Amino acid sequence: MTDETQRLRVFLVDDHAMFRAGVRAELGVHVDVVGEASAVPEAIQKIGVLEPDVVLLDVHMPDGGGRAVLDAMRRSHPHVRFLALSVSDAAEDVIGLIRAGARGYVTKTISPDELADAIRRVADGDAVFSPRLAGFVLDAFAARPDAPVADPELDQLTNREREVLRLLARGYAYKEIAKELYISIKTVETHVSNVLRKLQMSNRYELSRWAADRRLV
Amino acid sequence: MMTNPIPVRRLYRDPAHRAVAGVAAGIAEHLGAPVMLIRAAFVLLSTVYGLGAIMYAVFWAVLPLPAQATPARRNFLQLFSFLALGIGALLLVNQTGHDGMHIAVGWLAATVALGAGIIWHQADPKRRMRWSQTVPQMPWLGSVLDNDRRSYLLRFIGGGLLVIVGIIGAVAVGGVRLSGADLSSIAYGLLFAVIALAGVGLALAPVLWKMYMQLRDEREGRIREQERAELAAMIHDQVLHTLALIQRNAGDTKSVLRLARGQERSLRNWLYKSSASPTEKLSAALEEIAAEVEDTYAVAVETVIVGDLDVDEPVAALVAAAREALVNAGRHAKVSTVSLYAEVEPDCISVFIRDRGVGFELSTVEDDRHGVRGSIILRMTRHGGKAEVRSEPGDGTEVRLTMPINTEARRRRVPAND
């Protein structure tokens, strides 16, 4: 194959050796796993040297978890993209990592093909939402009469974004969403990226609360 | 401990420059005033009802020694200061001889302060060392006054006795003086009672504090132990059991999957979920049917629920229809994952059950098959809702259920992720 240069360079951060080995084996056919780390300081050091395209980041680790890695790398290496990978479904974990700068969040039960797909999407600068994350976002941005909207641009979802998120929560793939809504896959990706931006920037109460739970404010 | 860049200035006794007990020296050091000025102030104040003496005694009782205090060698100069103190006291008594009451009250107050001081100071573990170092001629003093339990009791009783004697004395002196029974004597009596209570409180405070701390530690320990026991029971009853079953069924992928999934669900519930009852809340009801289908058909049901509301008859019908759709997917679709999505909107509830399985031709489903028609479509229409089944052979199936929310009372929409 001549597209060796185009293969994505992926770095794994997870404190479970078994899980790293499994992901490495599964992803080997799709991407280059250029390195792995089992702890936060090791991850920070190696990512700085290797500069991978995408880092698969475990949320729960000793010494601050994925959040600590994100904080250390985000400013110095803005071109490295992070995809959070976790067994946790807790809202504050999901929202917390996204607000700290991760471009996506998937659970560890994801299939290898879907994971490779997600990595490719994150590397292209798009966002990746698991169905559950889509559900959280819909919940957090739900129109509540008592919730003041400070910045309509950031604090509200458009109808189209809401529709896309609903289909994501229903387990639709991007291709299926595009077909269902009669739009292109690129447009679906744009909508999801916009939602990600709102998720990271908005000061809606629900998001601030989740962020506060993880001391992210 | 945090290292504070600015050392906190605290008031200590200064035993290195002491004349009597180092109180004046300590205060002088703290205020940056000449020590003689402080001493003069104490002496002057002592002429006013012995106030200076009382203050000195209180300071002595309350002020701690600095942590790195090097106990001063016994100094014969100190003898002079104690001598002067005695002479001063005698002079004072002579001067006010006919009315010794003020002096008596002063002395009694000093006694109270000394007793309280003894009790308060024994919390300090350095005492024992100090005693045996400053009085090397009397090593037994260290062992009597050291902080093992016996001497603790001894000193507590001694200090308490001093406090009580002082208070009783004060009351007695006051009583003699005020024996002319009038209204003010009652007021004085009350005052003395309050003083006596305060004295007892003062004497008991360290003991009570110590007991309170012990009780609190014990209680915390018990709670921790309880939590640990609960966790151990959960791990033992569930996790180890499941792992044993997985090992025994290692060859059977389906049951391994089912066991793992069931265990995961129960652990998740234990960790994250508030325990709402399935008969009360829509989200809990949907999660229950999802769990049931997962257990029965060895499929994973990806459940996403947005919003929540109370269960009533139409909602229960909606849940039953959703269950039927999940069962169909689990039984016929030949997939490992089914998606269940529910959203509570301001005016209706939508539930979607979707699989990427084999699908079917809706028109080919026979009329006697109750599954789709009876249990889903008719049930929904009967309760004012709507059901739509989209399926194509080879392209999976999606069941869409919608149930309008009519009355205002049912629009109590609450976030699901609290």
Side-chain angles (χ1 to χ4, degrees):
Chain A
M1 295 287 278
T2 52
D3 64 348
E4 195 63 30
T5 48
Q6 285 172 5
R7 272 166 73 97
L8 289 172
R9 302 171 70 247
V10 175
F11 190 89
L12 300 177
V13 184
D14 198 303
D15 53 341
H16 294 98
M18 280 235 311
F19 185 78
R20 289 201 309 273
V23 171
R24 191 184 260 273
E26 285 169 356
L27 285 182
V29 287
H30 303 285
V31 298
D32 276 341
V33 180
V34 292
E36 51 185 71
S38 60
V40 172
E42 187 192 357
I44 292 169
Q45 190 253 325
K46 285 192 180 171
I47 293 169
V49 172
L50 292 168
E51 303 208 327
D53 297 312
V54 177
V55 175
L56 284 185
L57 191 59
D58 188 18
V59 177
H60 296 280
M61 282 187 296
D63 304 325
R67 164 113 171 89
V69 179
L70 267 171
D71 283 346
M73 307 307 298
R74 265 256 292 168
R75 288 198 198 293
S76 55
H77 297 81
H79 50 278
V80 177
R81 305 253 157 76
F82 289 86
L83 175 61
L85 196 62
S86 168
V87 290
S88 171
D89 279 336
E92 62 267 24
D93 293 344
V94 183
I95 304 289
L97 257 285
I98 296 288
R99 278 176 83 87
R103 292 204 64 85
Y105 186 105
V106 292
T107 49
K108 284 186 175 176
T109 47
I110 191 171
S111 77
D113 289 339
E114 282 175 314
L115 181 59
D117 220 34
I119 290 170
R120 224 167 279 132
R121 198 154 277 151
V122 167
D124 286 345
D126 293 323
V128 172
F129 287 8
S130 69
R132 201 171 283 264
L133 176 53
F136 283 150
V137 178
L138 280 171
D139 215 20
F141 281 93
R144 299 212 175 92
D146 52 332
V149 176
D151 184 353
E153 176 63 27
L154 285 177
D155 294 348
Q156 281 174 340
L157 298 180
T158 65
N159 282 338
R160 208 49 162 183
E161 286 162 357
R162 211 174 280 278
E163 277 176 277
V164 170
L165 280 179
R166 263 189 205 125
L167 289 169
L168 273 175
R170 277 155 68 180
Y172 278 60
Y174 281 36
K175 197 174 64 186
E176 296 165 319
I177 296 173
K179 193 175 147 213
E180 179 80 18
L181 298 179
Y182 304 106
I183 53 180
S184 71
I185 294 180
K186 198 67 221 162
T187 313
V188 176
E189 287 170 348
T190 309
H191 284 310
V192 179
S193 291
N194 285 341
V195 174
L196 178 86
R197 190 174 57 87
K198 291 180 181 180
L199 199 52
Q200 287 174 338
M201 313 290 281
S202 168
N203 283 318
R204 270 190 80 102
Y205 166 70
E206 292 84 359
L207 296 168
S208 316
R209 190 196 62 195
W210 274 321
D213 285 347
R214 303 283 291 178
R215 279 181 241 105
L216 290 169
V217 183
Chain B
M1 287 291 277
M2 273 179 39
T3 48
N4 200 333
I6 306 159
V8 180
R9 276 170 60 79
R10 287 191 58 188
L11 186 53
Y12 292 109
R13 272 194 295 138
D14 182 1
H17 302 98
R18 67 182 174 188
V20 178
V23 170
I27 293 172
E29 156 81 25
H30 187 74
L31 297 176
V35 67
M36 269 324 202
L37 195 73
I38 307 290
R39 283 183 184 143
F42 272 118
V43 171
L44 269 175
L45 279 172
S46 290
T47 60
V48 187
Y49 301 106
L51 191 62
I54 297 170
M55 276 173 65
Y56 195 93
V58 171
F59 271 123
W60 185 25
V62 169
L63 291 190
L65 283 168
Q68 69 280 27
T70 46
R73 292 232 142 246
R74 262 156 63 87
N75 187 344
F76 282 102
L77 272 173
Q78 256 191 291
L79 220 58
F80 287 111
S81 45
F82 277 108
L83 211 65
L85 209 67
I87 292 166
L90 275 175
L91 277 175
L92 217 60
V93 171
N94 278 340
Q95 202 181 26
T96 51
H98 57 281
D99 185 8
M101 203 215 69
H102 291 155
I103 314 298
V105 168
W107 278 110
L108 287 166
T111 312
V112 172
L114 183 68
I118 288 173
I119 296 169
W120 277 90
H121 270 258
Q122 65 188 357
D124 183 4
K126 293 197 187 73
R127 285 301 274 194
R128 179 181 178 174
M129 291 263 293
R130 241 169 49 77
W131 276 112
S132 18
Q133 273 174 15
T134 47
V135 201
Q137 304 92 323
M138 292 181 282
W140 53 267
L141 204 57
S143 69
V144 168
L145 294 164
D146 74 9
N147 52 357
D148 70 5
R149 192 166 297 214
R150 189 166 46 94
S151 74
Y152 178 85
L153 204 69
L154 214 71
R155 280 203 282 162
F156 176 65
I157 291 170
L161 227 60
L162 278 176
V163 170
I164 290 163
V165 165
I167 287 164
I168 289 173
V171 172
V173 171
V176 168
R177 172 116 188 260
L178 300 159
S179 53
D182 51 21
L183 206 65
S184 73
S185 79
I186 297 170
Y188 273 105
L190 274 174
L191 184 67
F192 283 129
V194 169
I195 291 171
L197 275 175
V200 172
L202 192 72
L204 284 177
V207 179
L208 289 176
W209 177 249
K210 209 168 172 176
M211 264 166 68
Y212 167 72
M213 293 302 275
Q214 262 170 6
L215 270 174
R216 208 190 58 175
D217 286 355
E218 204 178 288
R219 196 166 149 269
E220 268 176 8
R222 215 172 38 239
I223 290 170
R224 220 172 296 131
E225 180 56 34
Q226 215 166 24
E227 277 171 357
R228 206 199 61 82
E230 201 178 305
L231 182 67
M234 199 272 304
I235 288 176
H236 189 267
D237 294 351
Q238 295 192 20
V239 181
L240 292 181
H241 193 222
T242 305
L243 288 175
L245 281 175
I246 285 176
Q247 287 170 49
R248 284 180 51 175
N249 295 303
D252 183 354
T253 326
K254 258 199 151 169
S255 31
V256 168
L257 209 66
R258 176 160 50 210
L259 285 165
R261 185 79 188 166
Q263 183 60 65
E264 183 193 338
R265 197 175 50 238
S266 88
L267 281 179
R268 265 185 211 294
N269 274 333
W270 195 76
L271 281 173
Y272 301 120
K273 296 284 160 59
S274 55
S275 46
S277 161
T279 54
E280 285 168 6
K281 285 285 174 196
L282 172 70
S283 62
L286 287 174
E287 265 154 24
E288 193 192 47
I289 60 162
E292 184 197 331
V293 171
E294 281 191 350
D295 271 348
T296 317
Y297 299 102
V299 292
V301 180
E302 288 256 9
T303 310
V304 178
I305 298 164
V306 176
D308 203 353
L309 84 175
D310 293 341
V311 171
D312 55 12
E313 207 186 321
V315 174
L318 177 72
V319 170
R323 182 185 169 279
E324 196 58 37
L326 278 178
V327 166
N328 281 341
R331 193 185 284 162
H332 304 299
K334 298 185 177 68
V335 285
S336 59
T337 315
V338 182
S339 298
L340 167 65
Y341 173 71
E343 184 177 357
V344 180
E345 288 166 87
D347 49 357
C348 77
I349 316 163
S350 311
V351 178
F352 300 85
I353 297 98
R354 179 188 149 89
D355 66 71
R356 288 206 180 81
V358 293
F360 60 91
E361 199 79 62
L362 196 58
S363 55
T364 62
V365 178
E366 294 114 52
D367 280 348
D368 59 333
R369 283 273 302 279
H370 272 276
V372 172
R373 206 144 293 166
S375 302
I376 299 176
I377 298 173
L378 288 179
R379 178 180 269 144
M380 288 304 288
T381 46
R382 206 162 46 234
H383 288 89
K386 204 172 74 188
E388 194 186 332
V389 181
R390 292 210 312 189
S391 185
E392 271 172 52
D395 201 26
T397 306
E398 183 170 65
V399 179
R400 305 171 170 195
L401 310 171
T402 46
M403 181 70 78
I405 304 176
N406 295 318
T407 51
E408 280 295 314
R410 288 179 53 200
R411 289 178 63 169
R412 275 178 298 164
R413 190 178 182 284
V414 286
N417 296 305
D418 268 351

